[in-house]
Amino acid sequence: MAIGIILAAIVLLILGYVFYGSWLAKQWGIDPDRKTPAVEMDDGVDYVAAKPIVLMGHHFSSIAGAGPINGPIQAAVFGWVPVFLWCVIGGIFIGGVHDFGALFASVRHGGKSVGEIIKDSMGARAKKLFIIFALLVLILVIASFVNVVAGTFASDTAGMVLNTTPTGNETTAMVSVLFIVLAIIYGLLTNRAGLKTLPATIIGIVCIIAMLIFGLNVGLVAGRGFWIVFIGVYITIASLVPVWILLQPRDYLSSFLLYAMMIIALFGIIFSTFAGTATFELPAFTGWKTSIGTLFPALFITVACGACSGFHSLIASGTSSKQLSNERDAKPIGYGSMLIESGLAVIALIAVGMVFTKYTNGEFGSPSVAFAAGIATMFGADTTTVYKTIYALLTLAVSVFALTSLDSGTRLSRFMFTELFLHEDEATWHDATGVRKFLAHPLVGTIIMVVIGCTLGALKLSQIWALFGSANQLLAGIALMAVCAWLGNAGKNNKMFIVPMFFMLAATLTSLVTTVITKIKGFAAGELAWGNWFQLIFAAAMVVLAIILVIEGVQTIFLKKNRAEA
């Protein structure tokens, strides 16, 4: 069963890339001869043209994070058929269109954010509202992934010590910290010492293997609170330094861990099929209503990044568009990365299927742990050395991907927080005056977003993820609407956005309104926990902002309301 599922996914995703992806590129007018913002506006900090393979690594690592693993595993309670269909069909016709479209539109807007795309077609007020909405989503992104990373690092010991018989978490912590150091060295060697990409990549991979061996024998021990503070300091620094020092090299090198993880998983599926080391336990369909809600909208919200993710539009238009060296690479980086992520989501679905009984019995602390255990189980019992090694590697990989999303998400927060306080005639924070100049300062916005995100990261992941899924998918609907409006105003075919846009908006607004109603009922019954208040306020704010933006978008797309009227 498992091998049939993954083969079907691979074939369908490849066909989608070759045929539908190429058709989209032709419809929008991808022009390899047109200079990109990375080439025209190179500033050595944010606008830095990257080689396609390096940018692919950055983009893929940043959009993947823990999303395509956590989401499909939580949604697996509906059965494998609904999750499989949504990951594959949603990835090809909604998620891929969303990511590719956001990257292309941003490149044609000087590498600016989706907010600028909205301003171009829907007006300045809509842009400000979108930025506020996006910042709320980014707070949830930071909170979610701080929670995930701290959970994969934390030990039950206070203070930092070394352990020569490390647990999986302690190994993950050690290798992840060493990974940061390696990324800085790689960035300096390739961007300042002139080392070519191929030899640098070989050296980098050898160093990753050495770090893994070292981490399996020497772990880093510290409690959850320490790691939340550590992560907060790290992402603050990472978001402020030039991309070539940390962001590009770290994401590029971490992509090899992701590729290795997917290869190990594929080999495990084949091995377990013929060796009988694991059994696929997940039913095809369990029912329309489960522990996480009804199939609509819960499935389409919970899977999140495995099929479509609004966070991807922020990455595409925030960091990737500033590093794209040629428009021809927009298809493999924008559309191709999304389809690879859909493939990863299907792998996660198969992984939890191998340990589904244990998962439903609550034997795993988080979906990422269930993922690592599911893949490792394909190779043998949990007492074997092979199982323990693969389990540690996969736990590390999930943590590394979550950190890459944190790096990029915090940098995006910096861009958008600054943009929120600038007037139309002000290019940078230096041009602002008074309180606006203070708030627009990159360090101020970064610290505010990191402090809020890390504070919320102390909540239970279930409290954050449910809201993150809705907000994230609603952001996707708004991004689809923004690119649709811009393409229409530019006289290009935008019909491929109409159905995905309305579907994502319908699913997410339904979910958020349901959350608001549920929380109000809970308060009436005496449930006054601050986490519930947080969910209510966030959900209500997003519903209001989204409805205003949708009204503006519908007027622009269907009533041909031009920018001056907006």
Side-chain angles (χ1 to χ4, degrees):
M1 177 65 74
I3 196 169
I5 293 172
I6 193 61
L7 286 176
I10 291 172
V11 171
L12 291 171
L13 292 170
I14 289 175
L15 290 174
Y17 178 82
V18 172
F19 294 104
Y20 197 61
S22 299
W23 180 77
L24 292 173
K26 183 177 179 180
Q27 292 296 306
W28 299 341
I30 295 292
D31 185 1
D33 298 322
R34 185 183 180 121
K35 286 187 177 180
T36 64
V39 175
E40 287 191 319
M41 304 165 63
D42 187 351
D43 62 3
V45 178
D46 296 316
Y47 287 85
V48 179
K51 293 184 178 181
I53 189 172
V54 174
L55 183 55
M56 183 75 171
H58 156 68
H59 184 80
F60 185 36
S61 297
S62 295
I63 66 171
I69 292 170
N70 282 351
I73 288 177
Q74 292 184 71
V77 292
F78 286 108
W80 70 264
V81 170
V83 180
F84 171 85
L85 292 175
W86 174 232
C87 288
V88 174
I89 297 174
I92 293 171
F93 295 105
I94 299 182
V97 175
H98 167 273
D99 293 17
F100 189 10
L103 178 59
F104 174 64
S106 178
V107 168
R108 290 295 177 91
H109 283 78
K112 298 293 180 62
S113 69
V114 175
E116 282 295 321
I117 300 167
I118 286 179
K119 175 191 166 188
D120 185 46
S121 56
M122 295 162 56
R125 184 183 71 168
K127 171 192 169 182
K128 291 289 185 183
L129 291 172
F130 174 80
I131 291 174
I132 294 171
F133 183 89
L135 286 172
L136 292 176
V137 174
L138 286 169
I139 286 173
L140 294 176
V141 169
I142 295 171
S144 298
F145 292 137
V146 163
N147 188 298
V148 170
V149 176
T152 58
F153 284 5
S155 302
D156 296 328
T157 304
M160 178 177 282
V161 296
L162 300 179
N163 184 6
T164 54
T165 55
T167 64
N169 280 22
E170 293 161 4
T171 291
T172 300
M174 174 61 80
V175 179
S176 295
V177 171
L178 293 175
F179 212 101
I180 295 170
V181 178
L182 174 62
I184 295 172
I185 295 172
Y186 182 94
L188 291 171
L189 288 176
T190 54
N191 290 279
R192 290 297 179 265
L195 188 64
K196 298 296 183 182
T197 301
L198 181 59
T201 300
I202 294 172
I203 294 172
I205 293 173
V206 170
C207 287
I208 290 172
I209 294 171
M211 289 189 310
L212 285 170
I213 295 172
F214 180 77
L216 287 169
N217 292 279
V218 181
L220 199 53
V221 183
R224 183 183 181 85
F226 171 86
W227 286 119
I228 289 178
V229 174
F230 176 89
I231 294 164
V233 173
Y234 164 71
I235 60 179
T236 298
I237 296 171
S239 71
L240 293 168
V241 299
V243 291
W244 61 265
I245 292 178
L246 189 54
L247 190 72
Q248 278 184 358
R250 177 184 161 74
D251 292 357
Y252 173 61
L253 291 173
S254 67
S255 68
F256 287 99
L257 270 178
L258 194 149
Y259 303 144
M261 180 180 76
M262 295 181 71
I263 291 171
I264 289 171
L266 289 172
F267 180 76
I269 292 169
I270 296 170
F271 180 78
S272 63
T273 298
F274 294 99
T277 50
T279 303
F280 188 73
E281 304 170 347
L282 183 59
F285 182 62
T286 61
W288 297 100
K289 189 171 183 178
T290 67
S291 57
I292 63 171
T294 55
L295 193 136
F296 181 89
L299 171 70
F300 308 100
I301 302 304
T302 307
V303 170
C305 307
C308 182
S309 168
F311 179 62
H312 295 188
S313 68
L314 301 183
I315 296 293
S317 66
T319 56
S320 298
S321 61
K322 295 178 177 65
Q323 301 173 63
L324 190 74
S325 60
N326 193 296
E327 276 194 10
R328 67 168 171 263
D329 300 322
K331 177 192 167 187
I333 291 170
Y335 194 74
S337 291
M338 178 62 244
L339 298 195
I340 296 175
E341 188 167 357
S342 292
L344 175 57
V346 174
I347 289 174
L349 177 68
I350 293 172
V352 75
M354 296 298 186
V355 291
F356 192 64
T357 301
K358 291 182 179 180
Y359 176 70
T360 53
N361 288 338
E363 294 187 29
F364 304 112
S366 68
S368 57
V369 174
F371 172 78
I375 300 297
T377 297
M378 298 178 193
F379 293 89
D382 57 9
T383 55
T384 63
T385 302
V386 173
Y387 176 98
K388 293 178 180 177
T389 302
I390 292 175
Y391 179 89
L393 175 63
L394 296 180
T395 304
L396 167 68
V398 173
S399 176
V400 167
F401 306 146
L403 264 181
T404 60
S405 293
L406 274 171
D407 292 354
S408 300
T410 310
R411 184 174 288 263
L412 293 171
S413 299
R414 169 168 70 82
F415 293 154
M416 304 193 86
F417 202 93
T418 296
E419 197 174 336
L420 181 64
F421 295 100
L422 296 181
H423 288 163
E424 297 304 314
D425 58 343
E426 296 169 345
T428 70
W429 69 275
H430 294 284
D431 302 321
T433 58
V435 176
R436 289 191 303 105
K437 184 172 185 177
F438 172 77
L439 292 173
H441 193 288
L443 182 60
V444 173
T446 301
I447 290 176
I448 290 173
M449 293 293 290
V450 169
V451 169
I452 296 173
C454 288
T455 301
L456 294 176
L459 289 172
K460 293 180 180 178
L461 181 61
S462 58
Q463 290 179 298
I464 308 171
W465 193 264
L467 193 53
F468 165 70
S470 299
N472 186 43
Q473 302 303 69
L474 185 53
L475 177 61
I478 293 172
L480 286 163
M481 180 181 69
V483 179
C484 179
W486 170 69
L487 285 171
N489 286 350
K492 297 179 182 292
N493 184 4
N494 65 353
K495 300 296 188 296
M496 67 288 293
F497 285 88
I498 304 297
V499 173
M501 175 184 75
F502 279 118
F503 180 81
M504 296 307 298
L505 290 172
T508 51
L509 284 172
T510 300
S511 178
L512 284 170
V513 170
T514 301
T515 298
V516 171
I517 294 172
T518 301
K519 294 306 170 186
I520 290 175
K521 289 181 178 179
F523 294 142
E527 298 174 5
L528 301 175
W530 81 273
N532 290 328
W533 281 107
F534 155 71
Q535 289 178 306
L536 173 63
I537 294 169
F538 252 70
M542 289 183 172
V543 168
V544 172
L545 286 170
I547 289 174
I548 296 172
L549 285 168
V550 169
I551 292 172
E552 295 275 5
V554 168
Q555 289 177 326
T556 301
I557 297 169
F558 299 103
L559 302 181
K560 307 301 181 185
K561 181 177 180 180
N562 60 37
R563 178 180 168 186
E565 292 171 337

